[in-house]
Amino acid sequence: MELLSNSISARPDHPINLRLAFADTKSDFYFTSTLRNRKDSNTLAVFPFLKQFQSYQTIPKSIRTPKYQTNQSTSHKHDSNLTSFGEDASLYRRILPFDTDLEGLVADFQRLSINGIVLSTDFARGGYTTDELKLISKRLRSSSIDRGLPLIRHDFITHPIQIAEASLNGACAVVLIAAACLLDLDELLTSAMLMNVECIVECHDLIEVECALNAGATVVLLTNHDRVNGIVKTHDHALNLRQVVPDWIITLASGGIQSASQCWNYLDEDFDGVFLGESLLMSPNQSRFVDEIKSQKRQSTSMFFQNMGFDPNAQKNQVMLSQDEQGEDDDVGFDEHDAQVEIHKSYEKRFEKSEHDESNGNAMGDDEIGEEDLVGLVQEDEDREEKNVE
């Protein structure tokens, strides 16, 4: 990075310097919008993680020497490097053959139901460089307007120059490994925003997640890969970290994911997507593997209402409770009506026994009672009760 910075410092008109000096006139959030507006939004998004080989621990410093900068192809450079380290060569396992047609591989992935491409441009740990990033970008673009699938650069990014380099080579997003750039995370996020490049912050522990959220990250990659110690933990590690990430944050998972059932576990915990490297690249039937992952769907409707603070089950219980209360009110009303009927019948009986009607000549039928007479009887009872009280 220091060498690149020094080489372009003497050229103010260098494309990287121009990219750094001027803010982009638009912010389309291409990665986020593509991920949220995809047709299969109720399934887990799948991102192939392209790299030629897998490293299993921190690479010795001796691997980063000028002797790798030769005119040979990237794959042959990698093979000669592995054999030159003797015992250290056992720390790597080849994933893709050295003569893999990268454009053909990307074309095959485009025919699958994937949602983007992730390329490791860390040559010492993945075997590819920004040259391959530019190559894939051209392959993904169907026209000057349609950018195709999102292209993501994965590397140990510690300087805004690397973000500008990714943008110039066609990447719409970069992965910021929190363990490598935690102190500079705020600056990198701001620089990326000015260059219209989205950042996916890779986090391995709670401290990194909290720092990423406090810095304003809107996309986090919860990984099972401990890059400090060079080990891969179980897939439950990322599931546990998910509990501290707000629901409105786009959450991805990576590191040691081997099967579709593990991907379904991430889907159940409301992850938005997964980065699949070795398990997908070395799968004998990649199409079937992707289809199996996407065969499981999340209940998006209920999750939407729950995230908005609406619990359908609680509402259903509330409706049932309201119906029960209404039924109780109906029962109370029915009892009051019966009591009034009984009172009315008692007054009728008293009226029938009264000789008052016969003397006035306005006798009613045996089964009827006049309204004025009934009021008079009620008034007599009330006067009698008042006298008793006195």
Side-chain angles (χ1 to χ4, degrees):
M1 178 51 56
E2 184 178 357
L3 180 62
L4 177 60
S5 179
N6 293 334
S7 63
I8 66 174
S9 60
R11 290 187 53 190
D13 60 339
H14 193 280
I16 293 181
N17 284 329
L18 295 176
R19 195 72 184 87
L20 289 170
F22 299 96
D24 202 309
T25 57
K26 62 179 181 178
S27 297
D28 55 5
F29 300 99
Y30 186 74
F31 172 78
T32 301
S33 61
T34 304
L35 185 61
R36 291 191 182 279
N37 299 327
R38 56 195 173 97
K39 296 181 180 179
D40 56 347
S41 58
N42 59 342
T43 63
L44 201 65
V46 177
F47 299 89
F49 191 0
L50 303 185
K51 48 189 174 181
Q52 281 195 336
F53 56 89
Q54 175 68 50
S55 62
Y56 290 96
Q57 74 172 33
T58 304
I59 306 220
K61 293 182 179 180
S62 58
I63 198 170
R64 294 188 177 276
T65 59
K67 65 180 180 180
Y68 299 126
Q69 307 300 327
T70 64
N71 294 327
Q72 300 176 355
S73 65
T74 302
S75 301
H76 290 292
K77 286 190 292 183
H78 164 62
D79 290 340
S80 62
N81 291 337
L82 292 186
T83 57
S84 65
F85 284 110
E87 296 180 358
D88 289 340
S90 61
L91 302 177
Y92 307 89
R93 181 166 70 233
R94 177 166 287 282
I95 298 177
L96 297 175
F98 71 90
D99 57 350
T100 298
D101 180 12
L102 194 57
E103 286 189 276
L105 180 63
V106 172
D108 292 339
F109 278 129
Q110 284 183 289
R111 288 188 284 268
L112 305 182
S113 300
I114 64 169
N115 305 100
I117 298 289
V118 184
L119 181 70
S120 174
T121 58
D122 183 4
F123 169 69
R125 293 174 174 83
Y128 290 124
T129 64
T130 53
D131 294 336
E132 285 78 17
L133 189 70
K134 187 174 183 179
L135 182 68
I136 294 177
S137 175
K138 291 181 178 180
R139 181 64 182 83
L140 293 177
R141 285 180 177 269
S142 57
S143 66
S144 58
I145 300 176
D146 186 6
R147 301 171 63 179
L149 292 174
L151 179 59
I152 306 161
R153 179 186 183 182
H154 191 289
D155 204 337
F156 281 82
I157 296 177
T158 59
H159 197 282
I161 288 180
Q162 294 170 286
I163 301 176
E165 191 178 23
S167 177
L168 291 174
N169 286 282
C172 67
V174 295
V175 175
L176 302 180
I177 302 175
C181 64
L182 199 59
L183 298 178
D184 300 321
L185 189 57
D186 290 343
E187 179 186 357
L188 293 174
L189 288 173
T190 303
S191 299
M193 179 183 64
L194 295 175
M195 288 183 278
N196 192 25
V197 177
E198 293 188 74
C199 291
I200 305 171
V201 184
E202 179 183 303
C203 305
H204 176 69
D205 55 37
L206 290 174
I207 296 178
E208 294 176 358
V209 172
E210 292 178 359
C211 291
L213 296 178
N214 292 334
T218 57
V219 185
V220 295
L221 174 65
L222 304 181
T223 181
N224 303 309
H225 190 180
D226 184 357
R227 298 189 181 278
V228 177
N229 299 313
I231 59 175
V232 178
K233 299 181 180 180
T234 62
H235 76 285
D236 294 337
H237 182 77
L239 292 175
N240 296 331
L241 291 177
R242 179 66 181 87
Q243 307 302 322
V244 299
V245 180
D247 293 334
W248 57 272
I249 297 290
I250 294 180
T251 310
L252 309 173
S254 71
I257 303 175
Q258 299 295 328
S259 63
S261 60
Q262 292 179 354
C263 294
W264 296 341
N265 292 335
Y266 292 116
L267 181 67
D268 293 338
E269 292 298 326
D270 202 19
F271 278 77
D272 296 286
V274 290
F275 284 8
L276 298 179
E278 187 176 353
S279 59
L280 178 59
L281 297 179
M282 300 185 68
S283 174
N285 194 331
Q286 296 174 345
S287 177
R288 182 177 180 181
F289 187 30
V290 174
D291 291 341
E292 185 178 4
I293 294 174
K294 290 184 173 289
S295 64
Q296 190 78 4
K297 298 182 179 180
R298 64 162 56 95
Q299 300 297 327
S300 57
T301 303
S302 61
M303 291 181 63
F304 170 77
F305 285 110
Q306 290 174 3
N307 291 336
M308 297 296 291
F310 177 84
D311 188 353
N313 295 328
Q315 181 69 9
K316 182 179 179 180
N317 296 336
Q318 183 66 26
V319 171
M320 295 178 62
L321 181 61
S322 300
Q323 292 176 349
D324 294 340
E325 293 177 351
Q326 182 65 30
E328 293 177 358
D329 294 340
D330 294 341
D331 294 341
V332 172
F334 179 76
D335 295 340
E336 292 178 353
H337 180 267
D338 290 346
Q340 293 176 358
V341 170
E342 293 296 331
I343 293 173
H344 192 275
K345 288 182 179 180
S346 67
Y347 283 122
E348 282 184 342
K349 291 179 181 180
R350 290 175 58 186
F351 182 78
E352 290 174 357
K353 295 179 181 180
S354 176
E355 297 178 355
H356 179 70
D357 296 334
E358 294 180 358
S359 61
N360 292 336
N362 296 325
M364 301 290 181
D366 294 340
D367 56 345
E368 295 180 357
I369 184 172
E371 181 178 356
E372 295 180 356
D373 298 322
L374 182 60
V375 172
L377 291 175
V378 174
Q379 185 65 36
E380 291 178 0
D381 289 341
E382 292 178 354
D383 294 341
R384 189 179 301 107
E385 290 180 358
E386 290 179 358
K387 290 181 181 180
N388 293 334
V389 172
E390 293 178 353

